[in-house]
Coordinates of all heavy atoms in Angstrom, one line a residue:
L415 N 38.5 -115.5 -81.4 CA 38.3 -116.8 -81.9 C 38.8 -117.8 -80.8 O 38.1 -118.8 -80.6 CB 39.2 -117.0 -83.2 CG 38.7 -116.3 -84.4 CD1 39.8 -116.4 -85.5 CD2 37.4 -116.7 -84.9
T416 N 39.9 -117.5 -80.2 CA 40.4 -118.4 -79.1 C 39.5 -118.5 -77.9 O 39.1 -119.5 -77.4 CB 41.8 -118.0 -78.7 OG1 42.6 -118.0 -79.9 CG2 42.4 -118.9 -77.7
I417 N 39.1 -117.3 -77.5 CA 38.2 -117.2 -76.2 C 36.9 -117.9 -76.4 O 36.3 -118.5 -75.6 CB 38.1 -115.8 -75.8 CG1 39.5 -115.3 -75.2 CG2 37.0 -115.6 -74.7 CD1 39.5 -113.9 -74.8
L418 N 36.3 -117.7 -77.6 CA 34.9 -118.2 -77.9 C 34.8 -119.6 -78.4 O 33.8 -120.2 -78.3 CB 34.2 -117.2 -78.8 CG 34.0 -115.8 -78.2 CD1 33.4 -114.9 -79.3 CD2 33.1 -115.8 -77.0
L419 N 35.9 -120.1 -79.0 CA 35.8 -121.4 -79.7 C 36.6 -122.5 -79.0 O 36.2 -123.7 -79.1 CB 36.3 -121.3 -81.1 CG 35.5 -120.4 -82.1 CD1 36.1 -120.4 -83.5 CD2 34.0 -120.9 -82.2
L420 N 37.6 -122.2 -78.3 CA 38.5 -123.3 -77.8 C 38.1 -123.6 -76.3 O 37.7 -122.7 -75.5 CB 39.9 -122.9 -77.8 CG 40.5 -122.7 -79.2 CD1 42.0 -122.4 -79.2 CD2 40.3 -123.9 -80.1
P421 N 38.3 -124.9 -75.9 CA 38.0 -125.3 -74.5 C 39.2 -124.9 -73.6 O 40.2 -124.5 -74.1 CB 37.9 -126.8 -74.7 CG 38.8 -127.2 -75.8 CD 38.6 -126.0 -76.8
D422 N 38.9 -125.0 -72.3 CA 40.0 -124.8 -71.4 C 41.2 -125.6 -71.7 O 41.1 -126.8 -72.1 CB 39.5 -125.1 -69.9 CG 38.4 -124.2 -69.5 OD1 38.3 -123.1 -70.1 OD2 37.7 -124.5 -68.5
G423 N 42.4 -125.1 -71.5 CA 43.6 -125.8 -71.8 C 44.1 -125.3 -73.2 O 45.1 -124.7 -73.3
S424 N 43.4 -125.7 -74.2 CA 43.7 -125.2 -75.5 C 43.6 -123.7 -75.6 O 44.4 -123.0 -76.3 CB 42.8 -125.8 -76.6 OG 43.0 -127.2 -76.6
R425 N 42.6 -123.1 -75.0 CA 42.4 -121.7 -75.0 C 43.6 -120.9 -74.4 O 44.1 -120.0 -75.0 CB 41.1 -121.3 -74.2 CG 40.8 -119.8 -74.2 CD 39.7 -119.5 -73.2 NE 38.5 -120.2 -73.5 CZ 37.9 -121.0 -72.6 NH1 38.3 -121.1 -71.4 NH2 36.8 -121.7 -73.0
E426 N 44.0 -121.3 -73.2 CA 45.1 -120.6 -72.6 C 46.4 -120.8 -73.3 O 47.2 -119.9 -73.4 CB 45.2 -121.1 -71.1 CG 44.1 -120.7 -70.2 CD 42.8 -121.5 -70.4 OE1 42.9 -122.5 -71.0 OE2 41.8 -121.0 -69.8
L427 N 46.6 -122.0 -73.8 CA 47.9 -122.3 -74.5 C 48.0 -121.4 -75.8 O 49.1 -120.8 -76.0 CB 47.9 -123.8 -74.9 CG 49.2 -124.3 -75.6 CD1 50.4 -124.0 -74.7 CD2 49.1 -125.7 -76.0
L428 N 47.0 -121.4 -76.6 CA 47.1 -120.6 -77.8 C 47.1 -119.1 -77.5 O 47.9 -118.4 -78.1 CB 45.9 -120.9 -78.8 CG 45.9 -120.1 -80.1 CD1 47.2 -120.3 -80.9 CD2 44.7 -120.5 -80.9
L429 N 46.3 -118.7 -76.6 CA 46.2 -117.2 -76.3 C 47.5 -116.7 -75.7 O 48.0 -115.7 -76.2 CB 45.0 -117.0 -75.3 CG 44.5 -115.6 -75.2 CD1 44.0 -115.1 -76.6 CD2 43.4 -115.5 -74.1
W430 N 48.1 -117.4 -74.8 CA 49.4 -117.0 -74.2 C 50.5 -117.1 -75.3 O 51.3 -116.2 -75.4 CB 49.7 -117.8 -73.0 CG 49.0 -117.4 -71.7 CD1 47.9 -117.9 -71.2 CD2 49.4 -116.3 -70.9 NE1 47.6 -117.3 -70.0 CE2 48.5 -116.2 -69.8 CE3 50.4 -115.3 -71.0 CZ2 48.6 -115.3 -68.8 CZ3 50.5 -114.4 -69.9 CH2 49.6 -114.4 -68.9
G431 N 50.4 -118.2 -76.0 CA 51.5 -118.4 -77.1 C 51.4 -117.3 -78.1 O 52.5 -116.7 -78.5
I432 N 50.2 -116.9 -78.6 CA 50.1 -116.0 -79.7 C 50.5 -114.6 -79.2 O 51.1 -113.8 -80.0 CB 48.7 -116.0 -80.3 CG1 48.8 -115.5 -81.8 CG2 47.7 -115.2 -79.6 CD1 49.5 -116.5 -82.7
W433 N 50.1 -114.2 -78.0 CA 50.5 -112.9 -77.5 C 52.0 -112.8 -77.1 O 52.6 -111.7 -77.3 CB 49.6 -112.5 -76.3 CG 48.3 -111.9 -76.8 CD1 47.1 -112.6 -76.9 CD2 48.1 -110.6 -77.4 NE1 46.1 -111.7 -77.5 CE2 46.7 -110.5 -77.7 CE3 48.9 -109.5 -77.6 CZ2 46.2 -109.4 -78.3 CZ3 48.4 -108.4 -78.1 CH2 47.0 -108.3 -78.5
L434 N 52.5 -113.9 -76.7 CA 54.0 -113.9 -76.4 C 54.7 -113.7 -77.7 O 55.7 -112.9 -77.8 CB 54.4 -115.1 -75.7 CG 55.9 -115.3 -75.4 CD1 56.4 -114.2 -74.5 CD2 56.2 -116.6 -74.8
A435 N 54.3 -114.4 -78.7 CA 54.9 -114.3 -80.1 C 54.8 -112.8 -80.6 O 55.7 -112.3 -81.2 CB 54.3 -115.3 -81.0
A436 N 53.6 -112.2 -80.4 CA 53.4 -110.9 -80.8 C 54.3 -109.9 -80.1 O 54.9 -109.0 -80.7 CB 51.9 -110.5 -80.5
L437 N 54.5 -110.0 -78.8 CA 55.4 -109.2 -78.1 C 56.8 -109.3 -78.5 O 57.6 -108.3 -78.7 CB 55.3 -109.5 -76.6 CG 54.0 -109.1 -75.9 CD1 54.0 -109.5 -74.4 CD2 53.7 -107.6 -76.0

Side-chain angles (χ1 to χ4, degrees):
L415 293 171
T416 302
I417 289 178
L418 295 176
L419 292 180
L420 296 183
D422 292 341
S424 295
R425 180 191 304 127
E426 288 78 13
L427 182 61
L428 179 57
L429 199 60
W430 279 100
I432 206 68
W433 276 102
L434 179 60
L437 292 176

